[in-house]
Amino acid sequence: MEATASQSLRTEATASRVKIVIDCDPGHDDALALLLASRVCDVVGVTTVSGNAPLGAVTNNALRVLTLANLEVPVHAGADGPLVLPADGVVPHATHVHGATGLNGVTLPEPGRAQSGDDAAGFLIDASQRYPDLWLVAIGPLTNVAHAIRRDPVFADRLAGISIMGGSTTGGNVTATAEFNVWADPEAADVVIRSGAHIRLCGLNLTHQVETSAELLERISAMATSRARFAAEVITYLHRRMTELRGRAAAALHDPCAVLAVTHPSLFEFHRLPAAVELTGTLTRGMTVFDQRHAARHVTPQIDVAFHIDATAALALIMKALEA
Ligand code: BDR
Ligand code: CA
């Protein structure tokens, strides 16, 4: 049968969309990143990692968010803790921000299906073999990604790139110097940064440029879609939490930035810089270090560090993804 014009247009649009796999720990901003990704690219699968909350909770959250997003892709659970446990033996979480469930304060449908497996690293490797030019968007601690790199020496080279939300060119959010995703598994971040992969990094210096506001919340609350209702709950929760933690009802939309760094790179200003993760410092463990000296211009590894984003355009794309 001959394809109709609209069918072939749809196929063309799909064919030209970038393919991504998302490694995440939902997480309020992870959830918004999943909703955004479902609209702006082809998501071939989702893997989950212990991070904002324990692995079981974040996997359940991912399944429920994907059900809301109507995105039927495989979900594989991965690591339930970092490569190296902290000295106190306690797996790090960000429940002080996201609550015990990782997604406190929101209503979501029951998961439409069960997880597809529990070998996230294996799934990431398979996906890299199956889809040429695949981007990996990593928006939680980098444990699964490090496992995949260690298991398959050409995994990193096979990918088009890895877009990471993590680190900072300025200060941290868990300690004075470290951002949560890197701090929660510094050894994994070190493996990933030294892997030779093409890396784009959105750190806190960048993600704090894309902030929610009372006005944005009002606009989202006025949209009559189930996605928008959920996003309004997410932002309402974050505003309450940020008011308690920082005295300001505004939340940085960290994880959606790492999706946009793949789908809309022209919104960003990147600088390719030598990068490293501090593993030993008493005050600096988990800090990302970028060498901007002219004398260091040939030092490796180098990654693309995001310094600026067109926040108005980024927020408009996030809003658009909440439409019916
Ligand atoms: C990062 O940590 C998590 O709490 C968020 O989901 C985001 O990925 C910000 O530091
Ligand atoms: Ca996250």
Side-chain angles (χ1 to χ4, degrees):
M1 207 196 343
E2 219 173 77
T4 64
S6 72
Q7 268 170 342
S8 41
L9 265 181
R10 216 165 37 233
T11 317
E12 222 174 83
T14 311
S16 63
R17 274 151 59 109
V18 54
K19 286 194 173 9
I20 70 166
V21 59
I22 305 183
D23 187 65
C24 60
D25 60 338
H28 294 80
D29 54 330
D30 300 74
L32 296 183
L34 289 169
L35 291 186
L36 171 67
S38 72
R39 287 284 158 85
V40 294
C41 49
D42 281 349
V43 182
V44 305
V46 169
T47 52
T48 55
V49 62
S50 165
N52 285 326
L55 182 66
V58 297
T59 305
N60 184 46
N61 292 343
L63 288 163
R64 295 170 74 178
V65 173
L66 293 175
T67 304
L68 173 78
N70 251 319
L71 197 59
E72 287 187 21
V73 295
V75 175
H76 291 258
D80 61 4
L83 294 186
V84 178
L85 267 185
D88 61 7
V90 178
V91 174
H93 298 301
T95 43
H96 63 292
V97 177
H98 300 271
T101 66
L103 261 180
N104 275 25
V106 303
T107 330
L108 276 167
E110 284 306 309
R113 69 216 131 88
Q115 70 186 52
S116 312
D118 59 6
D119 179 14
F123 176 76
L124 292 174
I125 292 168
D126 288 350
S128 74
Q129 288 164 338
R130 182 160 175 197
Y131 302 102
D133 298 326
L134 181 71
W135 273 88
L136 166 55
V137 176
I139 54 179
L142 290 154
T143 323
N144 291 338
V145 186
H147 280 303
I149 289 167
R150 283 185 169 174
R151 214 190 280 180
D152 176 353
V154 286
F155 169 69
D157 294 339
R158 227 183 275 118
L159 294 167
I162 307 177
S163 178
I164 297 172
M165 189 285 128
S168 173
T169 63
T170 50
N173 57 2
V174 187
T175 70
T177 57
E179 178 279 333
F180 176 75
N181 288 340
V182 177
W183 171 84
D185 195 343
E187 279 73 20
D190 176 58
V191 168
V192 176
I193 283 187
R194 289 191 299 101
S195 67
H198 171 206
I199 293 176
R200 290 185 187 151
L201 186 107
C202 295
L204 296 175
N205 59 295
L206 186 283
T207 60
H208 274 279
Q209 294 170 31
V210 184
E211 279 200 343
T212 59
S213 61
E215 192 254 328
L216 183 89
L217 175 57
E218 207 174 297
R219 278 165 55 208
I220 292 177
S221 304
M223 292 166 74
T225 68
S226 52
R227 289 167 163 253
R229 179 204 43 77
F230 170 72
E233 287 179 355
V234 164
I235 296 169
T236 302
Y237 172 85
L238 287 175
H239 281 186
R240 206 172 51 238
R241 216 49 216 110
M242 289 304 133
T243 305
E244 288 158 4
L245 292 170
R246 293 215 218 110
R248 230 178 115 233
L253 296 181
H254 306 289
D255 292 341
C257 291
V259 173
L260 294 174
V262 176
T263 59
H264 296 75
S266 62
L267 298 182
F268 293 74
E269 183 186 311
F270 293 100
H271 293 281
R272 186 155 295 180
L273 290 173
V277 178
E278 174 61 83
L279 299 177
T280 53
T282 315
L283 300 175
T284 52
R285 180 169 156 79
M287 175 185 183
T288 43
V289 180
F290 308 100
D291 200 336
Q292 302 192 50
R293 294 171 303 156
H294 183 71
R297 66 193 181 285
H298 298 305
V299 172
T300 56
Q302 301 211 353
I303 66 172
D304 291 338
V305 184
F307 278 81
H308 186 262
I309 182 169
D310 179 342
T312 310
L315 287 169
L317 285 161
I318 294 166
M319 294 278 291
K320 181 125 188 67
L322 303 177
E323 288 174 359

